[in-house]
Amino acid sequence: MSERRLSLAPMMERTDRHFRFLMRLITRRTRLYSEMVVDRTLIHGDAARHLDYHPAEHPVALQLGSADPGLAARAVAVARPWGYDEVNLNVGCPSPRVQAGGFGVVLMRTPERVAEIARAVYEETGVRLSVKHRVGLDEHEDYAFLARFVEVVAASGVRVFVVHARKAWTQGLDPKANRTVPPLEHAKVYRLKRDFPELTIVTNGGVGTPEEARAHLAHVDGVMVGRAMWDRPWRWAAADRLLGGDSPAPDRRAVLERYQAYLHERLAEGVPLRVLVRPLFNLFKGEPGGRRWRQQLDAALRAGRLPAGGLAALAPVEVGA
């Protein structure tokens, strides 16, 4: 399966290194994106805290928040030694905090600025950014606005565009509502691929199953999935087979055993147990025993330790693929 046919979307307070590692155990091919990290955080903060990841996560992408070419270039220079497979510029987030910083979806109004950021990063670091954006924002909802944005940014050397197939409202809707209220317009993303066949176009938004992702792949190069992977991670155990012909699907008991070994490694480094257990809560969601699984994880967190039998001891009896 191509490394871009399926991607895990960047999600704040979701796609940390621990959830990404769990997803890598479930699907070998999916490209995994980090939470967004702001340029100044990398330049002036604890870079390792935001950039460290397990080697097994490859292919893994870093998402950057920036509106300043110089700061973006400096931030990517800081991140480059970590060896991410991709650095993605956030031009899609509509949160008030991001808007106050002048980046995220508001940058769609100034594609020349996005192009300037991409050129500065490449000239300073040799890294070609990808861009994640919306199909539009506020009153800018016609296809011509979207196509001009892509055309201007592509002229700077950007070749990968991940398109959230909803426009964003910068006023009146909170970030959660902006993920669900504006209607999906995947047809606009399909048209981008027809009009810019030389570019890699990935669609994002409202995709809930590997089967739905496969249907989109008839029109675009890739599909990005966010909350549907967080809410039902095991559903994506079939993705490698359905989207790329790889088989067999992983065994859930083996996934639990491997994640437990990872968990103990991170505990030895001082990572809190609650942070490491959090990605596991939805692993049996919607299945017999799923509620009991969550209750037992809660009990383990209250006790401050896993039972002697480890994660497998907490799992429902049927934990095969």
Side-chain angles (χ1 to χ4, degrees):
M1 183 170 81
S2 165
E3 292 179 352
R4 290 199 182 276
R5 285 175 70 78
L6 184 64
S7 301
L8 168 65
M11 293 180 285
M12 296 302 295
E13 300 182 354
R14 295 289 186 275
T15 52
D16 63 15
R17 60 184 300 197
H18 315 302
F19 181 63
R20 297 196 309 263
F21 183 82
L22 176 65
M23 288 307 302
R24 177 57 70 234
L25 298 179
I26 293 171
T27 163
R28 293 174 295 169
R29 303 293 188 180
T30 299
R31 179 168 288 234
L32 307 174
Y33 282 69
S34 76
E35 301 171 89
M36 182 187 68
V37 186
V38 178
D39 49 21
R40 293 179 186 274
T41 300
L42 291 181
I43 295 167
H44 302 297
D46 181 355
R49 175 170 168 256
H50 298 281
L51 296 175
D52 281 350
Y53 60 90
H54 194 284
E57 290 181 44
H58 289 289
V60 60
L62 171 68
Q63 191 181 61
L64 179 68
S66 183
D68 183 285
L71 292 178
R74 289 173 62 189
V76 174
V78 169
R80 190 175 181 186
W82 268 262
Y84 279 85
D85 299 288
E86 175 186 346
V87 180
N88 176 265
L89 184 67
N90 185 320
V91 189
C93 181
S95 79
R97 180 177 296 182
V98 168
Q99 290 188 54
F103 58 100
V105 74
V106 295
L107 281 172
M108 284 198 73
R109 295 194 182 105
T110 54
E112 295 82 4
R113 185 68 165 179
V114 178
E116 188 180 356
I117 292 169
R119 279 192 293 268
V121 167
Y122 181 71
E123 290 170 1
E124 179 69 23
T125 68
V127 173
R128 290 285 188 196
L129 293 178
S130 64
V131 173
K132 186 174 189 295
H133 57 99
R134 297 275 186 144
V135 293
L137 77 162
D138 298 334
E139 73 280 7
H140 303 296
E141 57 185 15
D142 58 290
Y143 177 77
F145 173 82
L146 172 63
R148 181 179 182 275
F149 174 84
V150 170
E151 182 178 27
V152 171
V153 175
S156 71
V158 173
R159 286 294 173 266
V160 179
F161 292 81
V162 182
V163 190
H164 188 159
R166 302 181 196 268
K167 81 169 189 177
W169 288 101
T170 58
Q171 302 292 329
L173 292 182
D174 62 21
K176 182 178 180 180
N178 260 307
R179 294 194 299 268
T180 57
V181 173
L184 284 164
E185 299 183 275
H186 287 288
K188 286 184 177 178
V189 189
Y190 299 170
R191 184 175 173 184
L192 278 179
K193 182 58 189 176
R194 294 195 302 270
D195 291 348
F196 300 92
E198 73 283 5
L199 301 178
T200 297
I201 304 294
V202 177
T203 199
N204 167 228
V207 180
T209 67
E211 292 79 6
E212 291 175 14
R214 182 169 58 182
H216 285 295
L217 289 172
H219 308 280
V220 290
D221 300 297
V223 177
M224 177 174 278
V225 178
R227 263 68 188 175
M229 282 196 189
W230 174 262
D231 291 341
R232 297 290 292 269
W234 193 252
R235 177 174 282 171
W236 299 89
D240 293 351
R241 175 177 55 83
L242 288 174
L243 303 184
D246 290 357
S247 62
D251 174 82
R252 191 151 32 185
R253 184 173 294 276
V255 167
L256 286 173
E257 290 171 351
R258 291 177 65 190
Y259 190 84
Q260 181 170 310
Y262 170 86
L263 180 150
H264 285 300
E265 291 173 2
R266 303 289 82 77
L267 284 174
E269 296 171 352
V271 179
L273 180 64
R274 60 177 174 77
V275 173
L276 294 162
V277 168
R278 185 169 176 258
L280 297 169
F281 271 85
N282 290 333
L283 195 59
F284 294 89
K285 185 175 181 179
E287 301 178 35
R291 182 177 180 184
R292 177 66 175 160
W293 164 256
R294 294 175 67 94
Q295 290 171 339
Q296 293 191 107
L297 287 180
D298 274 328
L301 290 179
R302 288 195 299 271
R305 58 181 174 81
L306 296 177
L311 292 172
L314 301 179
V317 175
E318 298 295 332
V319 294

